[in-house]
mmCIF file of all heavy atoms in Angstrom:
data_model
loop_
_atom_site.group_PDB
_atom_site.id
_atom_site.type_symbol
_atom_site.label_atom_id
_atom_site.label_comp_id
_atom_site.label_asym_id
_atom_site.label_seq_id
_atom_site.Cartn_x
_atom_site.Cartn_y
_atom_site.Cartn_z
ATOM 1 N N ALA A 1 0.818 -1.173 -0.021
ATOM 2 C CA ALA A 1 0.067 0.019 -0.058
ATOM 3 C C ALA A 1 0.788 1.318 0.041
ATOM 4 O O ALA A 1 0.518 2.278 0.640
ATOM 5 C CB ALA A 1 -1.020 0.022 1.245
ATOM 6 N N LEU A 2 2.064 1.301 -0.690
ATOM 7 C CA LEU A 2 2.715 2.503 -0.796
ATOM 8 C C LEU A 2 2.153 3.414 -1.853
ATOM 9 O O LEU A 2 1.698 2.943 -2.918
ATOM 10 C CB LEU A 2 4.218 2.165 -1.155
ATOM 11 C CG LEU A 2 4.977 1.256 -0.216
ATOM 12 C CD1 LEU A 2 6.420 1.158 -0.576
ATOM 13 C CD2 LEU A 2 4.966 1.766 1.150
ATOM 14 N N GLY A 3 2.172 4.755 -1.649
ATOM 15 C CA GLY A 3 1.663 5.660 -2.451
ATOM 16 C C GLY A 3 2.801 6.116 -3.542
ATOM 17 O O GLY A 3 3.988 5.649 -3.486
ATOM 18 N N ARG A 4 2.460 7.036 -4.457
ATOM 19 C CA ARG A 4 3.368 7.399 -5.558
ATOM 20 C C ARG A 4 4.705 8.008 -4.804
ATOM 21 O O ARG A 4 5.771 7.646 -5.326
ATOM 22 C CB ARG A 4 2.747 8.525 -6.386
ATOM 23 C CG ARG A 4 1.787 7.834 -7.444
ATOM 24 C CD ARG A 4 1.017 9.079 -8.229
ATOM 25 N NE ARG A 4 0.373 8.495 -9.219
ATOM 26 C CZ ARG A 4 -0.958 7.947 -9.054
ATOM 27 N NH1 ARG A 4 -1.409 7.751 -7.908
ATOM 28 N NH2 ARG A 4 -1.583 7.600 -10.228
ATOM 29 N N GLU A 5 4.468 8.788 -3.952
ATOM 30 C CA GLU A 5 5.733 9.522 -3.355
ATOM 31 C C GLU A 5 6.575 8.443 -2.668
ATOM 32 O O GLU A 5 7.791 8.371 -2.615
ATOM 33 C CB GLU A 5 5.370 10.486 -2.391
ATOM 34 C CG GLU A 5 4.614 11.761 -3.049
ATOM 35 C CD GLU A 5 5.431 12.448 -4.053
ATOM 36 O OE1 GLU A 5 6.710 12.519 -3.891
ATOM 37 O OE2 GLU A 5 4.851 12.631 -5.280
ATOM 38 N N ASP A 6 5.998 7.501 -1.990
ATOM 39 C CA ASP A 6 6.612 6.357 -1.266
ATOM 40 C C ASP A 6 7.469 5.507 -2.289
ATOM 41 O O ASP A 6 8.508 5.112 -2.067
ATOM 42 C CB ASP A 6 5.757 5.538 -0.487
ATOM 43 C CG ASP A 6 4.975 6.211 0.625
ATOM 44 O OD1 ASP A 6 5.701 7.077 1.202
ATOM 45 O OD2 ASP A 6 3.803 6.063 0.805
ATOM 46 N N LEU A 7 6.735 5.240 -3.448
ATOM 47 C CA LEU A 7 7.352 4.457 -4.545
ATOM 48 C C LEU A 7 8.573 5.132 -5.020
ATOM 49 O O LEU A 7 9.609 4.498 -5.380
ATOM 50 C CB LEU A 7 6.384 4.191 -5.654
ATOM 51 C CG LEU A 7 5.274 3.238 -5.277
ATOM 52 C CD1 LEU A 7 4.201 3.329 -6.377
ATOM 53 C CD2 LEU A 7 5.604 1.797 -4.931
ATOM 54 N N LEU A 8 8.523 6.471 -5.306
ATOM 55 C CA LEU A 8 9.580 7.181 -5.922
ATOM 56 C C LEU A 8 10.792 7.132 -4.923
ATOM 57 O O LEU A 8 11.975 6.989 -5.109
ATOM 58 C CB LEU A 8 9.172 8.656 -6.163
ATOM 59 C CG LEU A 8 8.248 8.667 -7.263
ATOM 60 C CD1 LEU A 8 7.872 10.148 -7.386
ATOM 61 C CD2 LEU A 8 8.991 8.242 -8.557
ATOM 62 N N ALA A 9 10.461 7.314 -3.592
ATOM 63 C CA ALA A 9 11.514 7.297 -2.375
ATOM 64 C C ALA A 9 12.045 5.951 -2.310
ATOM 65 O O ALA A 9 13.294 5.964 -1.820
ATOM 66 C CB ALA A 9 10.832 7.798 -1.184
ATOM 67 N N SER A 10 11.452 4.839 -2.740
ATOM 68 C CA SER A 10 11.931 3.562 -2.738
ATOM 69 C C SER A 10 12.997 3.226 -3.755
ATOM 70 O O SER A 10 13.554 2.232 -3.693
ATOM 71 C CB SER A 10 10.708 2.552 -2.881
ATOM 72 O OG SER A 10 9.970 2.666 -1.654
ATOM 73 N N GLY A 11 12.977 4.195 -4.765
ATOM 74 C CA GLY A 11 13.981 4.132 -5.798
ATOM 75 C C GLY A 11 13.513 3.717 -7.198
ATOM 76 O O GLY A 11 14.300 3.619 -8.164
ATOM 77 N N PHE A 12 12.213 3.485 -7.336
ATOM 78 C CA PHE A 12 11.655 3.265 -8.554
ATOM 79 C C PHE A 12 11.577 4.553 -9.389
ATOM 80 O O PHE A 12 11.326 5.719 -8.935
ATOM 81 C CB PHE A 12 10.248 2.772 -8.507
ATOM 82 C CG PHE A 12 10.110 1.372 -7.922
ATOM 83 C CD1 PHE A 12 9.516 1.296 -6.553
ATOM 84 C CD2 PHE A 12 10.578 0.273 -8.421
ATOM 85 C CE1 PHE A 12 9.421 0.108 -5.937
ATOM 86 C CE2 PHE A 12 10.594 -0.857 -7.637
ATOM 87 C CZ PHE A 12 9.973 -0.994 -6.448
ATOM 88 N N ASP A 13 11.859 4.440 -10.743
ATOM 89 C CA ASP A 13 11.968 5.729 -11.501
ATOM 90 C C ASP A 13 10.452 6.258 -11.831
ATOM 91 O O ASP A 13 9.559 5.498 -11.734
ATOM 92 C CB ASP A 13 12.610 5.424 -12.955
ATOM 93 C CG ASP A 13 11.817 4.496 -13.882
ATOM 94 O OD1 ASP A 13 11.056 5.087 -14.546
ATOM 95 O OD2 ASP A 13 12.083 3.369 -13.750
ATOM 96 N N GLU A 14 10.363 7.503 -12.085
ATOM 97 C CA GLU A 14 9.100 8.250 -12.074
ATOM 98 C C GLU A 14 8.211 7.645 -13.303
ATOM 99 O O GLU A 14 7.019 7.526 -13.150
ATOM 100 C CB GLU A 14 9.354 9.672 -12.302
ATOM 101 C CG GLU A 14 7.962 10.534 -12.263
ATOM 102 C CD GLU A 14 8.255 11.928 -12.205
ATOM 103 O OE1 GLU A 14 9.560 12.351 -12.181
ATOM 104 O OE2 GLU A 14 7.301 12.743 -12.094
ATOM 105 N N GLU A 15 8.869 7.378 -14.393
ATOM 106 C CA GLU A 15 8.058 6.950 -15.470
ATOM 107 C C GLU A 15 7.447 5.585 -15.262
ATOM 108 O O GLU A 15 6.261 5.280 -15.548
ATOM 109 C CB GLU A 15 8.985 6.811 -16.804
ATOM 110 C CG GLU A 15 8.187 6.334 -18.031
ATOM 111 C CD GLU A 15 9.199 6.271 -19.309
ATOM 112 O OE1 GLU A 15 10.317 6.614 -19.075
ATOM 113 O OE2 GLU A 15 8.666 5.876 -20.425
ATOM 114 N N THR A 16 8.268 4.658 -14.697
ATOM 115 C CA THR A 16 7.619 3.259 -14.394
ATOM 116 C C THR A 16 6.680 3.445 -13.352
ATOM 117 O O THR A 16 5.426 2.802 -13.488
ATOM 118 C CB THR A 16 8.802 2.370 -13.840
ATOM 119 O OG1 THR A 16 9.891 2.286 -14.689
ATOM 120 C CG2 THR A 16 8.247 1.023 -13.485
ATOM 121 N N VAL A 17 6.869 4.257 -12.248
ATOM 122 C CA VAL A 17 5.793 4.389 -11.219
ATOM 123 C C VAL A 17 4.531 4.941 -11.849
ATOM 124 O O VAL A 17 3.325 4.314 -11.641
ATOM 125 C CB VAL A 17 6.262 5.343 -9.992
ATOM 126 C CG1 VAL A 17 5.097 5.731 -9.322
ATOM 127 C CG2 VAL A 17 7.290 4.731 -9.231
ATOM 128 N N GLU A 18 4.546 5.932 -12.707
ATOM 129 C CA GLU A 18 3.421 6.530 -13.229
ATOM 130 C C GLU A 18 2.745 5.607 -14.181
ATOM 131 O O GLU A 18 1.356 5.495 -14.092
ATOM 132 C CB GLU A 18 3.820 7.878 -14.022
ATOM 133 C CG GLU A 18 2.570 8.681 -14.548
ATOM 134 C CD GLU A 18 1.675 9.145 -13.439
ATOM 135 O OE1 GLU A 18 2.187 9.436 -12.317
ATOM 136 O OE2 GLU A 18 0.452 9.121 -13.649
ATOM 137 N N THR A 19 3.469 4.834 -15.044
ATOM 138 C CA THR A 19 2.832 3.763 -15.879
ATOM 139 C C THR A 19 2.079 2.727 -15.121
ATOM 140 O O THR A 19 0.913 2.511 -15.428
ATOM 141 C CB THR A 19 3.868 3.232 -16.738
ATOM 142 O OG1 THR A 19 4.512 4.185 -17.533
ATOM 143 C CG2 THR A 19 3.298 2.153 -17.603
ATOM 144 N N VAL A 20 2.718 2.141 -14.044
ATOM 145 C CA VAL A 20 2.183 1.119 -13.346
ATOM 146 C C VAL A 20 0.894 1.551 -12.594
ATOM 147 O O VAL A 20 -0.120 0.864 -12.456
ATOM 148 C CB VAL A 20 3.234 0.321 -12.491
ATOM 149 C CG1 VAL A 20 2.687 -0.752 -11.652
ATOM 150 C CG2 VAL A 20 4.409 -0.288 -13.332
ATOM 151 N N VAL A 21 1.125 2.583 -11.778
ATOM 152 C CA VAL A 21 0.084 2.918 -10.918
ATOM 153 C C VAL A 21 -1.222 3.514 -11.779
ATOM 154 O O VAL A 21 -2.324 3.101 -11.350
ATOM 155 C CB VAL A 21 0.527 4.213 -10.046
ATOM 156 C CG1 VAL A 21 -0.657 4.812 -9.367
ATOM 157 C CG2 VAL A 21 1.635 3.607 -8.993
ATOM 158 N N SER A 22 -0.904 4.105 -12.888
ATOM 159 C CA SER A 22 -2.127 4.415 -13.672
ATOM 160 C C SER A 22 -2.839 3.285 -14.166
ATOM 161 O O SER A 22 -4.009 3.212 -14.300
ATOM 162 C CB SER A 22 -1.655 5.467 -14.786
ATOM 163 O OG SER A 22 -1.015 6.666 -14.426
ATOM 164 N N LEU A 23 -2.031 2.224 -14.780
ATOM 165 C CA LEU A 23 -2.620 1.100 -15.255
ATOM 166 C C LEU A 23 -3.433 0.318 -14.186
ATOM 167 O O LEU A 23 -4.574 -0.077 -14.419
ATOM 168 C CB LEU A 23 -1.479 0.022 -15.845
ATOM 169 C CG LEU A 23 -0.891 0.492 -17.105
ATOM 170 C CD1 LEU A 23 0.342 -0.425 -17.436
ATOM 171 C CD2 LEU A 23 -1.907 0.445 -18.239
ATOM 172 N N VAL A 24 -2.870 0.244 -12.937
ATOM 173 C CA VAL A 24 -3.487 -0.478 -11.871
ATOM 174 C C VAL A 24 -4.865 0.240 -11.621
ATOM 175 O O VAL A 24 -5.910 -0.359 -11.406
ATOM 176 C CB VAL A 24 -2.636 -0.636 -10.665
ATOM 177 C CG1 VAL A 24 -3.351 -1.077 -9.453
ATOM 178 C CG2 VAL A 24 -1.355 -1.407 -10.922
ATOM 179 N N ASP A 25 -4.763 1.663 -11.509
ATOM 180 C CA ASP A 25 -5.988 2.310 -11.065
ATOM 181 C C ASP A 25 -7.076 2.289 -12.188
ATOM 182 O O ASP A 25 -8.280 2.116 -11.756
ATOM 183 C CB ASP A 25 -5.673 3.813 -10.772
ATOM 184 C CG ASP A 25 -4.849 3.884 -9.549
ATOM 185 O OD1 ASP A 25 -4.655 2.935 -8.806
ATOM 186 O OD2 ASP A 25 -4.469 5.129 -9.148
ATOM 187 N N ARG A 26 -6.714 2.204 -13.446
ATOM 188 C CA ARG A 26 -7.693 2.158 -14.377
ATOM 189 C C ARG A 26 -8.334 0.912 -14.607
ATOM 190 O O ARG A 26 -9.290 0.737 -15.238
ATOM 191 C CB ARG A 26 -6.988 2.686 -15.803
ATOM 192 C CG ARG A 26 -6.682 4.159 -15.970
ATOM 193 C CD ARG A 26 -6.678 4.677 -17.316
ATOM 194 N NE ARG A 26 -5.629 3.860 -18.077
ATOM 195 C CZ ARG A 26 -4.245 4.302 -18.186
ATOM 196 N NH1 ARG A 26 -4.023 5.468 -17.585
ATOM 197 N NH2 ARG A 26 -3.343 3.630 -18.806
ATOM 198 N N ALA A 27 -7.626 -0.185 -14.027
ATOM 199 C CA ALA A 27 -8.173 -1.449 -14.349
ATOM 200 C C ALA A 27 -9.051 -2.014 -13.258
ATOM 201 O O ALA A 27 -9.498 -3.178 -13.284
ATOM 202 C CB ALA A 27 -6.986 -2.413 -14.487
ATOM 203 N N GLU A 28 -9.410 -1.272 -12.318
ATOM 204 C CA GLU A 28 -10.294 -1.788 -11.100
ATOM 205 C C GLU A 28 -11.591 -2.301 -11.585
ATOM 206 O O GLU A 28 -12.037 -3.337 -11.019
ATOM 207 C CB GLU A 28 -10.513 -0.628 -10.070
ATOM 208 C CG GLU A 28 -11.302 -0.987 -8.952
ATOM 209 C CD GLU A 28 -10.579 -1.908 -7.891
ATOM 210 O OE1 GLU A 28 -9.412 -2.359 -8.252
ATOM 211 O OE2 GLU A 28 -11.266 -2.305 -6.880
ATOM 212 N N TRP A 29 -12.141 -1.679 -12.569
ATOM 213 C CA TRP A 29 -13.567 -2.173 -13.043
ATOM 214 C C TRP A 29 -13.357 -3.662 -13.661
ATOM 215 O O TRP A 29 -14.345 -4.386 -13.573
ATOM 216 C CB TRP A 29 -14.051 -1.169 -14.091
ATOM 217 C CG TRP A 29 -13.367 -1.146 -15.471
ATOM 218 C CD1 TRP A 29 -12.121 -0.515 -15.726
ATOM 219 C CD2 TRP A 29 -13.681 -1.752 -16.581
ATOM 220 N NE1 TRP A 29 -11.790 -0.718 -17.011
ATOM 221 C CE2 TRP A 29 -12.815 -1.552 -17.519
ATOM 222 C CE3 TRP A 29 -14.761 -2.717 -16.950
ATOM 223 C CZ2 TRP A 29 -12.868 -2.071 -18.777
ATOM 224 C CZ3 TRP A 29 -14.816 -3.228 -18.178
ATOM 225 C CH2 TRP A 29 -13.907 -2.911 -19.253
ATOM 226 N N LYS A 30 -12.260 -3.820 -14.336
ATOM 227 C CA LYS A 30 -12.013 -5.259 -14.869
ATOM 228 C C LYS A 30 -11.845 -6.247 -13.676
ATOM 229 O O LYS A 30 -12.461 -7.367 -13.834
ATOM 230 C CB LYS A 30 -10.758 -5.206 -15.729
ATOM 231 C CG LYS A 30 -10.884 -4.669 -17.125
ATOM 232 C CD LYS A 30 -9.676 -4.929 -17.996
ATOM 233 C CE LYS A 30 -9.803 -4.501 -19.276
ATOM 234 N NZ LYS A 30 -8.548 -4.859 -20.143
ATOM 235 N N ARG A 31 -11.101 -5.757 -12.734
ATOM 236 C CA ARG A 31 -10.788 -6.860 -11.646
ATOM 237 C C ARG A 31 -12.115 -7.156 -11.021
ATOM 238 O O ARG A 31 -12.214 -8.436 -10.460
ATOM 239 C CB ARG A 31 -9.759 -6.218 -10.693
ATOM 240 C CG ARG A 31 -8.477 -6.252 -11.217
ATOM 241 C CD ARG A 31 -7.424 -5.801 -10.005
ATOM 242 N NE ARG A 31 -7.501 -4.377 -9.551
ATOM 243 C CZ ARG A 31 -6.998 -3.279 -10.240
ATOM 244 N NH1 ARG A 31 -6.193 -3.496 -11.301
ATOM 245 N NH2 ARG A 31 -7.211 -2.076 -9.695
ATOM 246 N N ARG A 32 -13.013 -6.182 -10.811
ATOM 247 C CA ARG A 32 -14.264 -6.598 -10.139
ATOM 248 C C ARG A 32 -15.144 -7.566 -10.864
ATOM 249 O O ARG A 32 -16.025 -8.105 -10.226
ATOM 250 C CB ARG A 32 -15.034 -5.233 -9.916
ATOM 251 C CG ARG A 32 -14.509 -4.285 -8.926
ATOM 252 C CD ARG A 32 -14.822 -4.693 -7.541
ATOM 253 N NE ARG A 32 -13.742 -4.096 -6.617
ATOM 254 C CZ ARG A 32 -13.806 -4.116 -5.230
ATOM 255 N NH1 ARG A 32 -14.954 -4.784 -4.729
ATOM 256 N NH2 ARG A 32 -12.834 -3.581 -4.503
ATOM 257 N N GLN A 33 -14.745 -7.788 -12.185
ATOM 258 C CA GLN A 33 -15.677 -8.748 -12.924
ATOM 259 C C GLN A 33 -14.828 -9.963 -13.270
ATOM 260 O O GLN A 33 -15.357 -10.997 -13.890
ATOM 261 C CB GLN A 33 -16.009 -8.174 -14.261
ATOM 262 C CG GLN A 33 -16.768 -6.861 -14.243
ATOM 263 C CD GLN A 33 -17.095 -6.359 -15.505
ATOM 264 O OE1 GLN A 33 -17.962 -6.918 -16.306
ATOM 265 N NE2 GLN A 33 -16.690 -5.107 -15.870
ATOM 266 N N TYR A 34 -13.615 -10.152 -12.701
ATOM 267 C CA TYR A 34 -12.781 -11.378 -12.937
ATOM 268 C C TYR A 34 -13.359 -12.483 -12.185
ATOM 269 O O TYR A 34 -13.853 -12.344 -11.000
ATOM 270 C CB TYR A 34 -11.327 -11.067 -12.536
ATOM 271 C CG TYR A 34 -10.364 -11.900 -13.342
ATOM 272 C CD1 TYR A 34 -10.164 -11.599 -14.670
ATOM 273 C CD2 TYR A 34 -9.725 -12.907 -12.787
ATOM 274 C CE1 TYR A 34 -9.133 -12.294 -15.441
ATOM 275 C CE2 TYR A 34 -8.746 -13.767 -13.422
ATOM 276 C CZ TYR A 34 -8.541 -13.466 -14.763
ATOM 277 O OH TYR A 34 -7.647 -14.199 -15.425
ATOM 278 N N PRO A 35 -13.127 -13.778 -12.591
ATOM 279 C CA PRO A 35 -13.635 -14.861 -11.809
ATOM 280 C C PRO A 35 -12.971 -15.044 -10.453
ATOM 281 O O PRO A 35 -11.833 -14.401 -10.248
ATOM 282 C CB PRO A 35 -13.204 -16.144 -12.811
ATOM 283 C CG PRO A 35 -13.079 -15.580 -14.199
ATOM 284 C CD PRO A 35 -12.600 -14.130 -13.949
ATOM 285 N N ILE A 36 -13.555 -15.756 -9.550
ATOM 286 C CA ILE A 36 -13.048 -15.985 -8.346
ATOM 287 C C ILE A 36 -11.740 -16.894 -8.439
ATOM 288 O O ILE A 36 -11.551 -17.707 -9.455
ATOM 289 C CB ILE A 36 -14.098 -16.724 -7.518
ATOM 290 C CG1 ILE A 36 -13.710 -16.630 -5.995
ATOM 291 C CG2 ILE A 36 -14.431 -18.078 -7.957
ATOM 292 C CD1 ILE A 36 -14.832 -17.186 -5.068
ATOM 293 N N GLY A 37 -10.800 -16.731 -7.501
ATOM 294 C CA GLY A 37 -9.673 -17.447 -7.529
ATOM 295 C C GLY A 37 -9.132 -17.714 -6.132
ATOM 296 O O GLY A 37 -9.453 -16.827 -5.216
ATOM 297 N N PRO A 38 -8.187 -18.599 -5.828
ATOM 298 C CA PRO A 38 -7.679 -18.825 -4.469
ATOM 299 C C PRO A 38 -6.860 -17.709 -3.877
ATOM 300 O O PRO A 38 -5.940 -17.312 -4.631
ATOM 301 C CB PRO A 38 -6.779 -20.111 -4.611
ATOM 302 C CG PRO A 38 -6.369 -20.176 -5.975
ATOM 303 C CD PRO A 38 -7.419 -19.540 -6.859
ATOM 304 N N LYS A 39 -7.097 -17.283 -2.781
ATOM 305 C CA LYS A 39 -6.336 -16.231 -2.095
ATOM 306 C C LYS A 39 -5.029 -16.910 -1.452
ATOM 307 O O LYS A 39 -5.334 -17.836 -0.480
ATOM 308 C CB LYS A 39 -7.195 -15.592 -0.980
ATOM 309 C CG LYS A 39 -6.404 -14.669 -0.186
ATOM 310 C CD LYS A 39 -7.378 -13.882 0.903
ATOM 311 C CE LYS A 39 -6.626 -13.323 2.030
ATOM 312 N NZ LYS A 39 -5.695 -12.282 1.547
ATOM 313 N N VAL A 40 -3.964 -16.477 -1.890
ATOM 314 C CA VAL A 40 -2.760 -17.129 -1.518
ATOM 315 C C VAL A 40 -1.736 -16.017 -0.851
ATOM 316 O O VAL A 40 -0.602 -16.519 -0.470
ATOM 317 C CB VAL A 40 -1.889 -17.948 -2.528
ATOM 318 C CG1 VAL A 40 -2.841 -19.210 -2.844
ATOM 319 C CG2 VAL A 40 -1.697 -17.076 -3.696
ATOM 320 N N THR A 41 -2.003 -14.853 -0.966
ATOM 321 C CA THR A 41 -1.275 -13.770 -0.383
ATOM 322 C C THR A 41 -2.082 -12.936 0.572
ATOM 323 O O THR A 41 -3.134 -13.139 0.812
ATOM 324 C CB THR A 41 -0.756 -12.863 -1.430
ATOM 325 O OG1 THR A 41 -1.775 -12.041 -1.865
ATOM 326 C CG2 THR A 41 -0.104 -13.635 -2.588
#
């Protein structure tokens, strides 16, 4: 649950952070429709 600033402080480059975080946030509607699967984490 690290935020953008935390991710940058952890050493990830800004372009990667912005790309990944934006993709994750935009895909929430898809995840809500995905089939059930085993929780292992």
